[in-house]
Amino acid sequence: MSSSRAASPFHCPYCAETDLWPREETGGWECRACLRAFAVTFLGQITPSGGAR
C-alpha cells in the first residue's frame, strides 16, 4: 500500500472555492479562501444492497 495521496478534492466543502493547499503535517487540506482546514476520508465500499462491506 502506498502512502501517496490518491486524489485531490476539487473544491472546499465549506465555501466551494478551489484555492486548496495540502496540509502535509495532517494529510488534510486547507482552503485559503475561507481559512478552514479539512480532511477527506475513505470509509469503505458499500454493497448494492446498501450495507458496508
Side-chain angles (χ1 to χ4, degrees):
M1 181 162 288
S2 173
S3 64
S4 66
R5 198 178 303 271
S8 302
F10 294 113
H11 64 318
C12 174
Y14 298 101
C15 72
E17 287 292 330
T18 57
D19 192 13
L20 303 177
W21 295 82
R23 291 183 57 98
E24 296 300 329
E25 66 275 359
T26 62
W29 294 89
E30 61 183 49
C31 176
R32 302 262 172 101
C34 69
L35 302 177
R36 290 185 168 116
F38 62 94
V40 179
T41 305
F42 176 75
L43 298 176
Q45 293 182 309
I46 60 170
T47 60
S49 63
R53 223 191 275 192

